[in-house]
Amino acid sequence: MNMGPGPGRGPGGPNDLYEKMKPPKPKHLREVPTYLRTVVGGVFSRLLYIFRLVWEARPALLFVMSFMALFNGFMPVAGTFISAHLLGRIVERLNDPTVDLWVPLLLQFGYTFLYFLVNDVYKVVMNISGELVTNHVRVKIMEKAKEVDLASFDQPEFYERLENASREAGTRPVTIVNSTFGMVSQLITMISYLVVLGGLIFRLAWYASVFALLFILLSVATALVGFYFRRQKFLYVRRKSKDRRQMNYYSDLMVNKDLVKELRLFDLSDLFIGRYKGVFARYFKGLKRLVYKETAWNLSLGFLTVVVNCVLFFIIASNIGQIEGYTIYTGALNAVSTAVTTVLTTIGSIYEGTLFIDNMILFMREKKTIRSTLPEGAVPERRKGHRIELRNVSFSYPGSDRMVLKHIDLTLEPGDTAVLVGLNGAGKTTLIKLLTRLYDPTEGTVLLDGRDIREYEPEALYRLYGIIFQDFGKYAEPVRDNIYFGQADAEPTDEALENAAREASADEFIRRLPRGYDTPLMRYFEPDGVELSIGQWQKLSVARAFYADSDILILDEPTASLDPMAEQELFRQFDRLRKGKTTVFVSHRLSSAVTADKIILLKDGEIAETGTHAELMAKKGEYYTLFTTQAKRYLSPDDTA
Ligand code: ADP
């Protein structure tokens, strides 16, 4: 479950992306041009990025959109002239019945038809393009996520970026490109009408131009008010990101499949719903205030606009004798004022929209460091039994100074079985992540067959390992696939899959499932999906490791969810499986350590003891204490007496 971001991620905090991307505010008047250039440059480069995304998805989309921008730009002007022409003819016909109305009527009809036809087709195109671009961006994000270092995922900042990118970057590009083209249309309309209006100024009394100017200024003011309040809402929502995360957290809790049992039995549902409502009320209060304020402004401006409008139209009406001229000029005025508002509003929304794409841009720029240090990555030889060596390895997780592993020196000879033991948090899993080069050590080197593992091609290196993590994958796919994923680069055969399942003691329960190996797992997609017990899942994960034809076997608590009988059986099978392979086990159950070639006891990130079971027992140190404590739990007081 997504538990929400950690502390210190509030807006304005060190990780606030928008604050970081913003150019510094100018302190002097002379810095203003530079500041504006940076802002405009930023918007342009983001716009370019967005256009490129649409272009990559389907180049034709951009052509269709450009055509629509021109079409929608000129059509209103043409429409005004056609309507005015028709009206003029109708008035003429009142005095002279011989005036023919056919041509203007046909023109009007043709115009309306063309306008609706093109726009309807365009709507369909836009719907489809929305899907196409969203899909393109999703795939792009998935492709990138595939290669990003695991270490990046540990950083909350990166993770938030990834989440935001996948949430927004899909739908926004089309909207933004569309708005940009819409703005171009409006500009074309506006300029054409301004040319028409230009003629008017010379024909009317001087105060007409004052009112015309006032009319246009009012539309600028309307747009600015809209822009201001949008920004206020944007800032408000950002400031309240903790509230929003909390609301998401509570609503996620309520639909979380793993928690539903506990919520019911502890009767927590109403409590969490109540908390959700509480946070929402707090969040909504501020938002409501902003909406009221905006409405008050809009109503006042709207009222003023209507008054100015009335006066202006009255002036035009009393100055222009012809109905045709009246229609054209009032139409032009209305259109210019709408265009001014729309253009300004669109600029605002494009600016805001482009900010969101920063998540995606930064995510796509994430550097990959897990790659071969050689120009041509080395490919490790495939054979059972590799020599693994750690030399003075220390490690701290990215974004943290705490050394989780300190000065580890360790050698595993080919075919060795090593067991890592130690308390929770001692660093066992971390050591495995370094062995397999999921992470690079902060200090020191890991060698495979005498060579720094950083020199190998990571993909080729990963192929050597058959691995079961503590939090192994449970895939909502058929049983067969859950095993086959162990080595997905080769076509699976039923025989190999069943062998692996048999070796993992999974075959028996799989055969009892309704559709055997083809049974879909989990109920995400399939109504007949089967929910396995955690022990059964674990057996499947072991089968997956058996199926992977690996050289090195790594098992992190592979028996944690198994009952003692199954555990014993599995250990016997591991014995067979690991023949000749270098094997690393992490286990809490020290019984598994008894036969190991090497036991490595980690304590607070350091190797406290190493040796065989017999050696360590004789030493009567940490291992001895751990082992005897655990053994006592399995024996009755009589046995220990
Ligand atoms: P073990 O496997 O021995 O229980 P781990 O290797 O999982 O221990 O963890 C060692 C230490 O590293 C713990 O203190 C844990 O909190 C920390 N740790 C583990 N994973 C991460 C991570 N992704 N980011 C930061 N710290 C981590």
Side-chain angles (χ1 to χ4, degrees):
M1 184 186 51
N2 177 14
M3 300 297 281
R9 290 219 272 149
N15 295 325
D16 195 339
L17 175 71
Y18 301 106
E19 288 305 323
K20 265 200 284 191
M21 298 289 287
K22 245 168 48 180
K25 280 252 159 65
K27 292 198 184 67
H28 279 287
L29 213 58
R30 63 183 140 79
E31 289 172 17
V32 171
T34 324
Y35 173 72
L36 284 181
R37 248 201 322 270
T38 323
V39 171
V40 173
V43 172
F44 268 106
S45 67
R46 292 180 185 114
L47 259 183
L48 215 65
Y49 188 88
I50 293 168
F51 271 69
R52 219 179 51 220
L53 283 177
V54 178
W55 173 267
E56 283 167 4
R58 268 310 133 89
L61 284 179
L62 282 185
F63 289 117
V64 175
M65 285 176 165
S66 324
F67 166 75
M68 284 309 293
L70 291 178
F71 181 83
N72 279 335
F74 286 116
M75 276 308 259
V77 193
T80 309
F81 276 95
I82 290 171
S83 308
H85 178 64
L86 177 63
L87 260 180
R89 289 296 88 78
I90 291 173
V91 173
E92 267 176 38
R93 204 181 140 95
L94 293 177
N95 303 324
D96 177 4
T98 59
V99 171
D100 194 9
L101 283 184
W102 274 112
V103 176
L105 269 177
L106 266 179
L107 260 178
Q108 177 73 37
F109 173 75
Y111 166 82
T112 316
F113 179 73
L114 187 69
Y115 190 77
F116 280 108
L117 181 80
V118 173
N119 272 294
D120 279 350
V121 171
Y122 185 59
K123 262 185 222 147
V124 176
V125 173
M126 281 310 290
N127 264 333
I128 297 175
S129 58
E131 294 283 337
L132 285 175
V133 175
T134 307
N135 178 58
H136 170 70
V137 172
R138 282 233 175 107
V139 172
K140 214 173 150 86
I141 290 177
M142 286 196 280
E143 292 282 350
K144 179 72 187 176
K146 178 183 84 176
E147 60 173 40
V148 166
D149 289 346
L150 212 61
S152 303
F153 283 84
D154 285 327
Q155 300 182 26
E157 194 184 342
F158 167 84
Y159 202 70
E160 191 173 351
R161 222 179 279 151
L162 170 57
E163 279 183 322
N164 289 342
S166 38
R167 194 176 52 239
E168 286 155 358
T171 47
R172 277 180 187 267
V174 171
T175 328
I176 293 172
V177 169
N178 201 22
S179 308
T180 313
F181 279 118
M183 192 180 75
V184 173
S185 307
Q186 289 289 345
L187 278 175
I188 293 176
T189 311
M190 192 166 86
I191 292 167
S192 331
Y193 275 126
L194 278 176
V195 172
V196 175
L197 276 179
L200 178 73
I201 300 298
F202 300 106
R203 288 169 58 179
L204 295 181
W206 63 271
Y207 49 84
S209 33
V210 175
F211 274 93
L213 197 66
L214 206 61
F215 188 52
I216 290 174
L217 282 182
L218 274 172
S219 39
V220 174
T222 310
L224 289 183
V225 165
F227 185 63
Y228 172 80
F229 279 101
R230 273 233 316 243
R231 180 133 191 91
Q232 288 302 310
K233 273 185 260 176
F234 174 77
L235 291 176
Y236 180 80
V237 169
R238 233 181 66 197
R239 235 183 3 254
K240 293 286 172 186
S241 75
K242 183 174 154 242
D243 284 354
R244 278 184 307 133
R245 287 203 307 263
Q246 227 168 351
M247 284 191 284
N248 285 343
Y249 175 71
Y250 290 134
S251 60
D252 284 352
L253 278 185
M254 296 304 299
V255 295
N256 187 293
K257 208 165 143 201
D258 298 330
L259 286 181
V260 69
K261 300 187 289 293
E262 195 164 306
L263 293 187
R264 289 291 154 81
L265 290 176
F266 284 136
D267 198 11
L268 289 175
S269 306
D270 286 335
L271 186 135
F272 283 129
I273 293 176
R275 290 200 176 166
Y276 173 90
K277 285 182 178 163
V279 180
F280 177 75
R282 191 171 66 207
Y283 172 76
F284 188 61
K285 210 162 105 188
L287 208 57
K288 210 163 58 181
R289 209 174 306 134
L290 276 177
V291 173
Y292 285 162
K293 258 199 220 165
E294 187 182 5
T295 314
W297 269 98
N298 277 338
L299 282 179
S300 322
L301 280 176
F303 179 71
L304 267 179
T305 310
V306 170
V307 171
V308 173
N309 213 348
C310 283
V311 175
L312 194 56
F313 284 19
F314 178 76
I315 299 172
I316 297 177
S318 50
N319 277 271
I320 291 187
Q322 257 180 343
I323 179 106
E324 214 170 315
Y326 179 79
T327 316
I328 292 177
Y329 291 130
T330 49
L333 261 176
N334 272 331
V336 170
S337 107
T338 315
V340 169
T341 315
T342 317
V343 166
L344 289 177
T345 316
T346 317
I347 290 179
S349 71
I350 292 175
Y351 173 68
E352 256 171 38
T354 53
L355 285 183
F356 283 91
I357 206 73
D358 288 348
N359 282 314
M360 167 121 186
I361 296 178
L362 286 179
F363 170 67
M364 293 311 274
R365 267 195 218 149
E366 190 76 16
K367 287 267 182 313
K368 178 178 173 169
T369 58
I370 302 283
R371 50 171 53 175
S372 177
T373 48
L374 301 178
E376 192 75 36
V379 176
E381 201 184 315
R382 294 299 305 260
R383 66 179 136 87
K384 285 186 178 166
H386 293 268
R387 187 168 195 270
I388 301 175
E389 203 181 337
L390 276 75
R391 284 197 198 145
N392 193 27
V393 166
S394 299
F395 181 74
S396 61
Y397 278 98
S400 142
D401 300 330
R402 195 167 63 91
M403 284 291 170
V404 174
L405 290 176
K406 291 164 235 167
H407 310 292
I408 305 282
D409 281 302
L410 179 68
T411 307
L412 302 179
E413 296 300 339
D416 261 1
T417 296
V419 177
L420 285 175
V421 297
L423 300 178
N424 287 332
K428 304 181 293 292
T429 304
T430 309
L431 188 66
I432 284 178
K433 291 181 190 162
L434 296 184
L435 275 185
T436 47
R437 208 187 171 202
L438 290 172
Y439 292 75
D440 278 333
T442 314
E443 262 173 55
T445 358
V446 181
L447 298 127
L448 181 98
D449 300 331
R451 189 171 201 167
D452 188 334
I453 56 170
R454 280 172 291 206
E455 293 182 2
Y456 293 111
E457 192 54 51
E459 275 79 47
L461 182 73
Y462 291 159
R463 240 169 263 141
L464 300 185
Y465 303 106
I467 194 157
I468 308 175
F469 277 110
Q470 216 168 342
D471 47 356
F472 53 85
K474 305 185 189 97
Y475 303 98
E477 300 285 346
V479 174
R480 175 186 302 285
D481 288 3
N482 268 278
I483 302 175
Y484 150 73
F485 289 162
Q487 200 191 342
D489 55 355
E491 270 307 304
T493 64
D494 285 353
E495 197 193 337
L497 288 175
E498 283 165 27
N499 269 343
R502 217 167 296 124
E503 292 192 276
S505 310
D507 184 61
E508 202 180 315
F509 90 79
I510 294 173
R511 290 196 184 282
R512 283 202 304 269
L513 292 175
R515 283 157 62 188
Y517 280 82
D518 294 316
T519 311
L521 294 182
M522 308 220 239
R523 297 236 176 93
Y524 284 137
F525 314 115
E526 309 292 339
D528 63 343
V530 167
E531 295 286 347
L532 297 181
S533 78
I534 182 76
Q536 289 171 324
W537 274 115
Q538 189 148 38
K539 284 182 180 173
L540 270 191
S541 77
V542 175
R544 184 155 64 234
F546 280 177
Y547 180 71
D549 183 23
S550 61
D551 295 358
I552 300 168
L553 194 62
I554 297 186
L555 308 156
D556 189 356
E557 292 285 351
T559 60
S561 318
L562 300 184
D563 54 60
M565 303 291 279
E567 184 186 4
Q568 276 316 311
E569 190 183 341
L570 201 68
F571 275 131
R572 272 200 300 279
Q573 278 152 343
F574 280 146
D575 275 340
R576 265 197 293 126
L577 179 79
R578 67 175 180 240
K579 285 271 176 301
K581 292 186 183 184
T582 310
T583 305
V584 183
F585 253 108
V586 174
S587 189
H588 273 115
R589 314 258 179 111
L590 296 182
S591 52
S592 65
V594 176
T595 58
D597 299 310
K598 188 170 261 174
I599 296 166
I600 300 142
L601 187 127
L602 281 180
K603 190 180 177 188
D604 298 329
E606 285 175 289
I607 296 185
E609 290 174 9
T610 65
T612 61
H613 176 72
E615 285 163 6
L616 293 183
M617 288 304 276
K619 201 171 173 187
K620 291 208 171 0
E622 300 260 353
Y623 179 80
Y624 173 84
T625 319
L626 273 178
F627 192 86
T628 43
T629 316
Q630 216 174 59
K632 265 187 210 149
R633 286 213 346 244
Y634 289 105
L635 300 171
S636 70
D638 295 344
D639 292 333
T640 47

